[in-house]
Amino acid sequence: MVDMTDGEPLGVAVVGAGYWGPNLVRNFRNAREWTLVAVVDLDLARAREVIGGSTDVLATNDLDEVLARDDVDAVAIATPARTHRGLVEQALRAGKHVLVEKPLADDVESGRSMVEAARANDLVLMADHTYCYTPVVQKIRELVEDGSLGEILFVDSVRINLGLVQPDVDVFWDLAPHDLSILDFVLPGGLRPTGVAAHGSDPLGAGKACVGYLTLPLEGGAMAHVHVNWLSPTKIRQMVIGGSRRTLVWDDLNPQQRLSVFDRGVDLVQQSVDIADRAAATISYRLGDTWAPALPEYEALSRMVGEFAGAIREGRTPRTDGAAGLRVLSVLEAAQTSLRARGALVEVAAETPTLELIR
Amino acid sequence: MVDMTDGEPLGVAVVGAGYWGPNLVRNFRNAREWTLVAVVDLDLARAREVIGGSTDVLATNDLDEVLARDDVDAVAIATPARTHRGLVEQALRAGKHVLVEKPLADDVESGRSMVEAARANDLVLMADHTYCYTPVVQKIRELVEDGSLGEILFVDSVRINLGLVQPDVDVFWDLAPHDLSILDFVLPGGLRPTGVAAHGSDPLGAGKACVGYLTLPLEGGAMAHVHVNWLSPTKIRQMVIGGSRRTLVWDDLNPQQRLSVFDRGVDLVQQSVDIADRAAATISYRLGDTWAPALPEYEALSRMVGEFAGAIREGRTPRTDGAAGLRVLSVLEAAQTSLRARGALVEVAAETPTLELIR
Amino acid sequence: MVDMTDGEPLGVAVVGAGYWGPNLVRNFRNAREWTLVAVVDLDLARAREVIGGSTDVLATNDLDEVLARDDVDAVAIATPARTHRGLVEQALRAGKHVLVEKPLADDVESGRSMVEAARANDLVLMADHTYCYTPVVQKIRELVEDGSLGEILFVDSVRINLGLVQPDVDVFWDLAPHDLSILDFVLPGGLRPTGVAAHGSDPLGAGKACVGYLTLPLEGGAMAHVHVNWLSPTKIRQMVIGGSRRTLVWDDLNPQQRLSVFDRGVDLVQQSVDIADRAAATISYRLGDTWAPALPEYEALSRMVGEFAGAIREGRTPRTDGAAGLRVLSVLEAAQTSLRARGALVEVAAETPTLELIR
Amino acid sequence: MVDMTDGEPLGVAVVGAGYWGPNLVRNFRNAREWTLVAVVDLDLARAREVIGGSTDVLATNDLDEVLARDDVDAVAIATPARTHRGLVEQALRAGKHVLVEKPLADDVESGRSMVEAARANDLVLMADHTYCYTPVVQKIRELVEDGSLGEILFVDSVRINLGLVQPDVDVFWDLAPHDLSILDFVLPGGLRPTGVAAHGSDPLGAGKACVGYLTLPLEGGAMAHVHVNWLSPTKIRQMVIGGSRRTLVWDDLNPQQRLSVFDRGVDLVQQSVDIADRAAATISYRLGDTWAPALPEYEALSRMVGEFAGAIREGRTPRTDGAAGLRVLSVLEAAQTSLRARGALVEVAAETPTLELIR
């Protein structure tokens, strides 16, 4: 069903015309690699509204009809998390590649089932970790991969804001998926903490955590930490990734210098012979230049839909595949457990290993 | 021995002429309420150097001699933490009031013993929590006390820097005493968390935590959190205190607007009758003005030595008394325990109750 | 022709479907007070494109046809400055109220003729000084009007950026109309400098000034100054208005604190008797609080089209009338003269006095 | 009299123990190259106070006595500007090298006379342009000299503050010497504007300009501009130097990134054949990286007194010689003239050419 010819666009249907769906619709429409075939929503009028005046695209509330079509190669799911598993597995069974909003599902078991279903059917399952396709996160991944930072020593991420207190999820499920999906994308080997400790508080009595902290010890002694907060009067979106060679600071609210790379840090320069002198003898400080790489300008979502097409055409795992979505989900679920255990460090569910798709 | 006449200055000896001692010397000298009688250091040359050309002040390495003098009403201890207990209790036994550097001691048992000794001897024991006497922290306490912030909902404190990795203590013992002593000073009722969870990492292999996070659940559902870090290439010293009425942000590195008070926040405005609508119905947002109060300019230490004199003359507990030092110490010790227990929430040692000094 | 009933919307035609026209189209469409009747452009296809799928609005290249219609009460002109006079006067002769893009015209003589034509025909001529309708500028005007700032002492405006070097105009004509129209809006009595000195440079050899400074002495000893620059690698949009009571700083690129009002300044507190002591005796400093008023959120253009409707219905001068546009134009023309005279201070052309429209 | 042996320190007397003198005293004392011989002040008690307890240094109010001493090789003058000429020429006649505070004198004629006197006597006359010896200005000079910026296109300097309104000088004479001496130091060939236009205002009625702007057209079409202001509630110290290759921004109040070098700008890339297409065809934009060089830490004054010693020993012109002081003074005097001529562009007094000292 998938046309492997580069020239022919792939057909896609977007399922869910709520908050995020229209962004997907716009980007699939603008992409050379894609033809938008249909928009599916239980609310047919809403589907029509999202499509606008055009008559080329089908508006429907009948998913079965859409999945039966030959000109639909892939489906993008933008519905609430609790519906993901059913819709994704239905689409996979119909032989469609699937892109799914984050979080992948509302529990790890569902997520794992979805990942296995895609694998069994030899189809692409991709998580829409949009932030990973921004120019700045692409650059950060590059800097980690090419060794500019050296070994990762610590990660500190802050995402705070006077935010909309959500009716159905707490501040971890609302905000932390951003931080976690970015960490999964940039850390060598993905996000595989050796445990998760979560501390949250609900000082308003809203019935869920509005302020939260995640601690994620990583292999090799590093630690990642995430601060999410709905009650902060000021908005901060900042991530620091400390490395043995350099440290980067990403300040997303400073468009004039979003990304800074500091050649500053502490080194353990030598092993002292005299054990007693160790600390004194072996510490040195680097106080070098700061560098702010220029970042290209493009819309993250357009790059994301391009990656989805590329993975399908080339029969390969996309950069943010179902397994990535599952790793993020596993951390969120572990955090939930930790929260109930008063912040105790809990293990993250064992992961289904990532396998390359083979045709 | 203490002269209660307002006009007559009190006599003081400074013990320890190392890093901090000279600051005490300078401020005692400049204070109308004090006469600097002696500087004591094992290194007599160092003591002389700190005094300078003056011949009015005694330089000595003999503490007994100093404690025997009638013109010495009080002693200020600026020596390493492990020596505090011995020196403080010796001075108290000699009938001297005592000011002691933070941390109060190197373990809670010592601290408690010192507090009890002061009480038993009816003498002032004061902790040199210098930050509490800065214009900005004085103002913050005022804003908490006069109800400007309402009920405290959360506190987030960040103190990070490319810092000197200390040979003898970890990043918690080096930096967090600042945050904790400030919290003790501004929180109504002092720092009395219901538990402490500490997460630290030593990614350099320096033999001690260089990056650390403290989580302190407070009574009533609020939570305080402290981030200390020696490896950050950028320097941040920021504390956010979120309240039910207003939230303040103290950015110590922004001299042009060190303190901002935001009339912004989230309110639970009403209890909905229909349980299902609860979250939707009861949340509202305040988006009011920001206000940056002008702060007076003075040196914190000069105010601190003034408070020491005031407490002695008026026979009252100083604002940062031994009990305050003990509360800070108890949290540090609990953090140490939590660190060894992989971040588990541990209880803070029961405190000796604060009693007003009665003459 | 104008329907004075509040309930009935006014009809408007937008002339010019280039860069700015579509914004006018969108805002007239969304406004309760307006019905968009037609979009006129020499390029008929472009007019159609701007309208989109709708068939309610006429797309045409025939202005005469539009001006002949009874359901068109007003015309909004968004064409190049050199065409303004002809189009505006044609519309006024046809009995239409007119909104015109800035600058009002490309020379003062044309501007004055347009203002007089509107007056003679008893019609509204309004300048689209969009910035004046932003929340922040509205607030600034309020603060000036209610005396919060006291007497204006100085104004310093900086608008610099790595900007598009324009083919047809220099940096003064490109950027300064923003600053000048704002000054006209907020200064008591409008922008009536006692002279204009302009300094510009063309270091690239682009054939026009790319860096420019305007000095505008005001009555009563105050001075306004404007810095515009296309070559700055950093973007700054900042205006400081110094007053005898308070001083405000508007930093348009700081969304978290766009407007700050400082109760800080220098006072001449008393007239000394002894003439020799004058300066020493009479200076004092205020070092009070800073206040950042919350600003509402709305689109400036929607408020602007509302003001246009209001002025028409109420038969009054709009807040940014033709005379305001003429004052801005006069300063620009004087700047041009000064530039040719190596920065000499030149007079601003005498203005046609503002008269209230009387029906 | 001057000892050319590297090992032997030079003897110096500081004349004037007011505001700045003590800084000179401290730095001459700490410098290996210097022996502080005497401090001269009409107020003998003040001279003694500045020296402190030491008995090695002579405190005196008798300049003749000091100038007669063989162990005084050089004199540093830190008295009011109007006294400079007399003191400097007296010292030169006595065969002493001279360092003098800025401004060099209070009028150009005096300054020129001093420069000529030094030349005639084959002695070093150095201007204490302290800022030029800061790490950041040294770096800026390097970046200009090594071609990193390319050709200088524009300079914009802002030095504003809630400043002390001075009793004897206006804001230009108080603040602009900093900007001008820096410009003289970093511009290739020194500060040689083709004219000076000054605009000032005195909105408080303080009897002198409190807000001022200087425009300095440079050879080759570039322009420098300086904004000085005593009435600003916020403190800004920023200089932008735009170059054809890169542009630097020095923000002196941002210790974490004092100096940024932007590889961003506008280029005229080619001369179009078709004259009509010129602007469109020939403009291109660079949007490259930003780089913040690490700066060493040292005290500017210590480097300045080192340069003074170096110039004397090596028989060469110091980096900020009398001629540099004279160029700054000439611009200040021209500014004064321009101010009286309502901002007209005035010429700068012809300069005595800089000659290398030859022994």
Side-chain angles (χ1 to χ4, degrees):
Chain A
M1 188 170 22
V2 175
D3 186 332
M4 289 297 153
T5 321
D6 229 43
E8 196 90 10
L10 297 163
V12 67
V14 172
V15 181
Y19 166 67
W20 194 246
N23 293 322
L24 292 173
V25 164
R26 180 167 48 80
N27 277 277
F28 278 119
R29 271 186 161 163
N30 291 341
R32 215 174 25 79
E33 305 95 325
W34 290 101
T35 300
L36 179 67
V37 176
V39 173
V40 187
D41 201 288
L42 293 179
D43 178 348
L44 186 58
R46 175 68 188 152
R48 284 197 182 115
E49 189 187 330
V50 164
I51 290 169
S54 162
T55 52
D56 305 347
V57 180
L58 173 70
T60 176
N61 55 13
D62 183 349
L63 179 59
D64 291 337
E65 179 198 344
V66 167
L67 293 179
R69 292 175 68 129
D70 270 4
D71 59 352
V72 170
D73 302 295
V75 168
I77 311 283
T79 60
R82 68 179 181 281
T83 67
H84 286 177
R85 182 182 183 169
L87 294 170
V88 166
E89 297 190 353
Q90 186 182 353
L92 291 169
R93 279 193 303 270
K96 309 305 185 190
H97 303 281
V98 180
L99 173 76
V100 63
E101 277 321 289
K102 72 181 148 22
L104 188 66
D106 56 351
D107 60 50
V108 167
E109 196 200 319
S110 299
R112 197 179 286 134
S113 163
M114 290 154 66
V115 169
E116 281 162 9
R119 215 165 269 167
N121 289 283
D122 200 17
L123 289 164
V124 168
L125 175 61
M126 177 163 170
D128 177 7
H129 290 170
T130 317
Y131 250 119
C132 302
Y133 297 93
T134 55
V136 64
V137 176
Q138 295 275 328
K139 186 73 187 181
I140 292 172
R141 179 166 164 150
E142 233 181 274
L143 292 168
V144 172
E145 275 182 352
D146 69 13
S148 296
L149 301 188
E151 200 186 333
I152 304 291
L153 301 181
F154 69 93
V155 182
D156 185 83
S157 189
V158 179
R159 185 174 306 273
I160 69 179
N161 197 10
L162 193 57
L164 290 176
V165 173
Q166 302 290 328
D168 47 348
V169 295
D170 68 7
V171 72
F172 292 103
W173 285 85
D174 183 37
L175 297 181
H178 295 298
D179 308 275
L180 298 173
S181 62
I182 294 164
L183 283 175
D184 185 75
F185 191 71
V186 302
L187 289 177
L191 180 64
R192 291 185 165 85
T194 61
V196 175
H199 301 278
S201 78
D202 172 21
L204 291 174
K208 68 198 63 126
C210 292
V211 177
Y213 299 93
L214 284 178
T215 304
L216 307 166
L218 305 176
E219 279 185 20
M223 195 163 75
H225 186 271
V226 176
H227 173 199
V228 284
N229 189 325
W230 278 334
L231 306 182
S232 168
T234 51
K235 188 171 181 172
I236 303 182
R237 292 192 178 176
Q238 185 175 292
M239 186 180 280
V240 182
I241 305 184
S244 57
R245 295 190 58 211
R246 290 193 193 83
T247 291
L248 70 77
V249 176
W250 164 25
D251 180 355
D252 206 45
L253 300 183
N254 181 1
Q256 305 217 30
Q257 192 167 327
R258 214 179 284 279
L259 185 61
S260 304
V261 182
F262 294 87
D263 187 13
R264 295 167 57 89
V266 179
D267 296 318
L268 278 190
V269 279
Q270 53 166 55
Q271 292 306 328
S272 168
V273 179
D274 177 358
I275 232 56
D277 286 355
R278 183 165 179 276
T282 59
I283 297 289
S284 82
Y285 297 87
R286 265 172 301 117
L287 296 168
D289 296 353
T290 302
W291 167 62
L295 298 170
E297 291 197 16
Y298 51 78
E299 186 174 355
L301 264 183
S302 85
R303 181 152 294 205
M304 194 275 291
V305 303
E307 170 68 6
F308 188 32
I312 294 171
R313 284 191 194 288
E314 298 161 24
R316 62 168 171 82
T317 302
R319 294 191 114 190
T320 54
D321 63 352
L326 183 55
R327 285 192 296 270
V328 169
L329 183 59
S330 303
V331 170
L332 287 169
E333 199 176 272
Q336 218 171 349
T337 307
S338 172
L339 213 52
R340 280 192 301 258
R342 304 190 68 204
L345 195 73
V346 305
E347 281 190 16
V348 180
E351 153 186 32
T352 305
T354 302
L355 296 174
E356 286 299 312
L357 277 183
I358 298 158
R359 303 277 162 136
Chain B
M1 188 169 24
V2 176
D3 187 331
M4 288 299 152
T5 320
D6 229 44
E8 197 89 8
L10 297 164
V12 68
V14 171
V15 180
Y19 166 67
W20 193 247
N23 293 322
L24 291 174
V25 164
R26 181 168 45 81
N27 277 277
F28 278 120
R29 271 186 161 163
N30 291 341
R32 215 174 24 80
E33 305 95 325
W34 291 101
T35 299
L36 179 68
V37 176
V39 173
V40 188
D41 200 288
L42 293 179
D43 178 348
L44 185 57
R46 175 67 189 153
R48 283 197 182 116
E49 190 187 331
V50 165
I51 291 169
S54 162
T55 51
D56 305 347
V57 180
L58 172 69
T60 177
N61 53 14
D62 183 349
L63 180 58
D64 292 336
E65 180 198 343
V66 167
L67 293 179
R69 291 177 68 129
D70 269 3
D71 59 351
V72 171
D73 301 296
V75 168
I77 311 284
T79 59
R82 66 178 184 283
T83 67
H84 285 178
R85 182 181 183 169
L87 294 170
V88 167
E89 297 190 352
Q90 186 182 352
L92 290 169
R93 280 194 302 270
K96 309 303 183 188
H97 302 281
V98 180
L99 173 76
V100 64
E101 276 322 288
K102 72 182 149 25
L104 188 66
D106 55 351
D107 59 51
V108 167
E109 195 200 317
S110 298
R112 195 179 287 135
S113 163
M114 290 153 67
V115 169
E116 281 162 8
R119 217 165 268 166
N121 289 283
D122 199 18
L123 289 164
V124 169
L125 175 62
M126 178 164 170
D128 178 7
H129 291 170
T130 317
Y131 251 118
C132 302
Y133 297 93
T134 55
V136 64
V137 176
Q138 295 275 328
K139 187 74 188 178
I140 292 172
R141 178 166 166 151
E142 234 180 273
L143 292 168
V144 172
E145 275 183 353
D146 71 12
S148 297
L149 302 187
E151 200 186 332
I152 303 291
L153 301 181
F154 69 93
V155 181
D156 186 82
S157 188
V158 179
R159 185 174 306 273
I160 70 179
N161 197 11
L162 192 56
L164 290 177
V165 173
Q166 301 291 328
D168 47 348
V169 295
D170 67 8
V171 72
F172 292 103
W173 284 85
D174 182 38
L175 297 181
H178 295 298
D179 308 275
L180 297 174
S181 62
I182 294 164
L183 283 175
D184 185 74
F185 191 71
V186 302
L187 289 177
L191 180 63
R192 290 184 164 87
T194 61
V196 175
H199 301 277
S201 79
D202 172 21
L204 291 173
K208 66 197 65 125
C210 293
V211 177
Y213 299 93
L214 284 178
T215 305
L216 307 167
L218 305 176
E219 280 187 18
M223 195 164 75
H225 187 270
V226 176
H227 174 199
V228 285
N229 189 324
W230 278 334
L231 306 182
S232 167
T234 52
K235 188 172 182 171
I236 303 182
R237 292 193 178 174
Q238 185 176 293
M239 185 179 282
V240 182
I241 304 184
S244 58
R245 295 191 58 211
R246 290 194 192 82
T247 290
L248 70 79
V249 176
W250 164 25
D251 180 354
D252 206 46
L253 299 183
N254 181 1
Q256 304 215 29
Q257 192 168 328
R258 215 178 284 278
L259 184 61
S260 304
V261 182
F262 295 85
D263 186 13
R264 294 166 60 88
V266 179
D267 297 317
L268 280 190
V269 278
Q270 52 165 57
Q271 292 306 325
S272 169
V273 178
D274 177 356
I275 234 53
D277 287 356
R278 183 168 178 273
T282 59
I283 296 290
S284 82
Y285 297 86
R286 266 172 301 118
L287 296 168
D289 296 353
T290 301
W291 166 63
L295 298 171
E297 290 197 17
Y298 52 77
E299 186 173 356
L301 264 183
S302 84
R303 182 154 293 208
M304 194 274 291
V305 302
E307 170 68 6
F308 188 32
I312 293 171
R313 284 192 194 287
E314 298 160 25
R316 62 169 170 82
T317 303
R319 294 190 114 190
T320 54
D321 64 353
L326 182 55
R327 284 191 296 270
V328 169
L329 183 59
S330 301
V331 170
L332 287 168
E333 199 176 272
Q336 217 171 349
T337 307
S338 172
L339 214 53
R340 280 191 302 258
R342 304 190 68 204
L345 195 73
V346 305
E347 280 189 17
V348 180
E351 157 186 27
T352 304
T354 303
L355 296 175
E356 287 298 312
L357 278 182
I358 297 160
R359 301 276 163 137
Chain C
M1 189 170 25
V2 176
D3 187 332
M4 289 298 153
T5 320
D6 230 44
E8 196 89 9
L10 297 163
V12 67
V14 171
V15 181
Y19 166 66
W20 194 246
N23 293 322
L24 291 174
V25 164
R26 180 169 45 81
N27 277 277
F28 278 120
R29 272 185 161 163
N30 290 341
R32 217 175 23 80
E33 305 95 326
W34 291 101
T35 300
L36 179 66
V37 176
V39 173
V40 188
D41 200 288
L42 293 179
D43 178 349
L44 185 58
R46 176 66 188 153
R48 283 199 182 112
E49 189 187 331
V50 165
I51 291 169
S54 162
T55 51
D56 305 347
V57 180
L58 172 71
T60 177
N61 54 13
D62 183 349
L63 180 58
D64 292 335
E65 179 198 342
V66 167
L67 293 180
R69 292 176 67 130
D70 270 3
D71 60 350
V72 170
D73 302 295
V75 167
I77 311 283
T79 60
R82 66 178 182 284
T83 67
H84 285 179
R85 181 182 183 171
L87 294 170
V88 167
E89 297 189 353
Q90 185 183 353
L92 291 169
R93 278 193 303 270
K96 309 304 184 191
H97 302 281
V98 180
L99 173 76
V100 62
E101 276 321 288
K102 73 182 149 23
L104 188 66
D106 56 351
D107 60 51
V108 168
E109 195 200 318
S110 298
R112 197 179 286 135
S113 163
M114 290 153 67
V115 169
E116 281 163 8
R119 216 165 269 166
N121 288 284
D122 199 18
L123 289 164
V124 169
L125 174 63
M126 178 163 169
D128 178 7
H129 291 171
T130 317
Y131 250 119
C132 302
Y133 297 94
T134 56
V136 64
V137 176
Q138 295 275 327
K139 187 71 188 180
I140 291 172
R141 178 166 164 151
E142 234 180 273
L143 292 168
V144 173
E145 274 183 353
D146 70 13
S148 297
L149 301 187
E151 199 187 334
I152 303 291
L153 301 181
F154 69 93
V155 181
D156 186 82
S157 189
V158 179
R159 185 175 305 274
I160 70 179
N161 198 11
L162 194 56
L164 290 177
V165 173
Q166 301 291 328
D168 46 349
V169 295
D170 67 8
V171 73
F172 292 103
W173 285 85
D174 183 37
L175 296 181
H178 295 299
D179 308 275
L180 297 174
S181 62
I182 295 164
L183 284 175
D184 185 74
F185 191 71
V186 302
L187 289 177
L191 180 64
R192 291 183 164 88
T194 60
V196 175
H199 301 278
S201 77
D202 172 21
L204 290 173
K208 68 198 63 124
C210 293
V211 178
Y213 299 93
L214 284 178
T215 305
L216 307 167
L218 305 176
E219 281 187 17
M223 195 164 76
H225 187 270
V226 176
H227 174 199
V228 285
N229 189 323
W230 278 334
L231 306 182
S232 168
T234 51
K235 187 171 181 172
I236 303 181
R237 291 193 178 174
Q238 185 177 291
M239 186 181 282
V240 183
I241 304 184
S244 56
R245 295 191 58 210
R246 292 194 191 81
T247 291
L248 70 78
V249 176
W250 164 26
D251 181 354
D252 206 46
L253 300 183
N254 181 0
Q256 304 215 31
Q257 192 169 325
R258 214 178 284 279
L259 184 61
S260 304
V261 182
F262 294 85
D263 187 12
R264 293 166 59 89
V266 179
D267 297 317
L268 278 190
V269 279
Q270 52 165 59
Q271 292 306 326
S272 168
V273 179
D274 177 359
I275 233 52
D277 286 356
R278 184 167 178 274
T282 59
I283 296 290
S284 82
Y285 296 87
R286 266 172 300 119
L287 295 168
D289 296 353
T290 301
W291 168 62
L295 298 171
E297 291 197 16
Y298 52 77
E299 186 175 355
L301 264 183
S302 85
R303 181 152 294 207
M304 195 274 291
V305 304
E307 170 67 7
F308 188 31
I312 294 171
R313 284 192 196 287
E314 299 161 24
R316 61 169 171 84
T317 303
R319 292 191 115 189
T320 54
D321 63 352
L326 182 56
R327 284 191 296 270
V328 169
L329 183 59
S330 302
V331 170
L332 287 169
E333 198 176 273
Q336 217 170 348
T337 307
S338 171
L339 213 53
R340 281 192 301 258
R342 305 191 66 204
L345 194 74
V346 304
E347 281 189 16
V348 180
E351 154 187 30
T352 303
T354 303
L355 297 174
E356 286 299 311
L357 277 182
I358 297 160
R359 302 275 162 139
Chain D
M1 188 171 22
V2 175
D3 187 332
M4 289 298 153
T5 320
D6 230 43
E8 194 90 10
L10 297 162
V12 68
V14 171
V15 181
Y19 166 67
W20 194 247
N23 293 322
L24 291 174
V25 164
R26 180 169 45 81
N27 277 277
F28 278 119
R29 270 185 162 163
N30 290 342
R32 215 175 25 79
E33 305 96 324
W34 290 102
T35 300
L36 179 67
V37 177
V39 173
V40 188
D41 201 288
L42 293 179
D43 178 348
L44 185 57
R46 175 69 189 152
R48 282 197 183 115
E49 189 188 331
V50 165
I51 291 169
S54 162
T55 51
D56 305 346
V57 180
L58 172 70
T60 177
N61 54 13
D62 183 349
L63 179 58
D64 292 336
E65 180 199 342
V66 167
L67 293 179
R69 291 176 69 129
D70 270 3
D71 60 351
V72 171
D73 301 295
V75 168
I77 311 283
T79 59
R82 66 177 183 283
T83 67
H84 286 178
R85 182 182 183 170
L87 294 170
V88 166
E89 297 190 352
Q90 186 183 353
L92 291 169
R93 279 192 304 269
K96 309 304 183 189
H97 302 281
V98 181
L99 172 76
V100 63
E101 276 321 289
K102 73 181 146 28
L104 188 66
D106 57 350
D107 59 51
V108 168
E109 196 201 317
S110 298
R112 196 180 286 134
S113 162
M114 290 153 66
V115 168
E116 281 162 9
R119 216 165 267 164
N121 288 283
D122 200 17
L123 289 164
V124 169
L125 174 63
M126 178 164 170
D128 177 7
H129 291 170
T130 317
Y131 250 119
C132 301
Y133 298 92
T134 55
V136 64
V137 176
Q138 295 274 327
K139 188 71 186 181
I140 292 172
R141 178 166 165 150
E142 234 180 273
L143 292 167
V144 173
E145 274 182 353
D146 70 11
S148 296
L149 301 187
E151 199 188 333
I152 304 292
L153 301 181
F154 69 93
V155 181
D156 186 82
S157 189
V158 179
R159 185 174 306 273
I160 70 179
N161 197 11
L162 192 56
L164 289 176
V165 173
Q166 302 291 328
D168 47 348
V169 295
D170 67 8
V171 73
F172 292 103
W173 284 84
D174 183 39
L175 297 180
H178 295 298
D179 307 274
L180 297 173
S181 62
I182 294 164
L183 283 175
D184 186 74
F185 191 72
V186 302
L187 289 177
L191 179 63
R192 291 186 165 86
T194 61
V196 175
H199 300 278
S201 77
D202 172 21
L204 290 175
K208 66 197 64 127
C210 292
V211 177
Y213 299 94
L214 284 178
T215 305
L216 307 166
L218 305 176
E219 279 186 19
M223 195 163 76
H225 187 271
V226 176
H227 174 198
V228 284
N229 189 324
W230 278 335
L231 306 182
S232 167
T234 52
K235 188 171 180 172
I236 303 181
R237 292 193 177 175
Q238 185 176 294
M239 187 180 281
V240 182
I241 304 184
S244 57
R245 295 191 58 212
R246 290 192 193 82
T247 290
L248 70 78
V249 176
W250 164 26
D251 180 355
D252 206 45
L253 300 183
N254 181 1
Q256 305 216 28
Q257 192 169 328
R258 213 179 285 279
L259 185 61
S260 304
V261 182
F262 294 86
D263 187 13
R264 295 167 58 89
V266 180
D267 296 318
L268 278 190
V269 279
Q270 52 165 53
Q271 292 307 325
S272 168
V273 179
D274 177 356
I275 234 54
D277 286 357
R278 183 165 178 275
T282 59
I283 296 289
S284 82
Y285 296 86
R286 265 172 301 118
L287 296 168
D289 295 353
T290 301
W291 167 63
L295 298 171
E297 290 196 17
Y298 51 76
E299 186 175 355
L301 263 183
S302 84
R303 182 153 293 207
M304 194 274 291
V305 303
E307 169 68 6
F308 187 33
I312 294 170
R313 284 192 195 287
E314 298 161 25
R316 62 168 171 84
T317 302
R319 292 191 114 190
T320 53
D321 63 353
L326 183 55
R327 285 192 295 271
V328 169
L329 183 59
S330 301
V331 169
L332 287 169
E333 198 175 274
Q336 216 170 349
T337 306
S338 172
L339 213 53
R340 280 192 301 259
R342 305 190 67 204
L345 194 74
V346 305
E347 281 189 16
V348 180
E351 156 186 31
T352 303
T354 301
L355 298 173
E356 286 299 310
L357 278 182
I358 298 158
R359 303 276 163 137

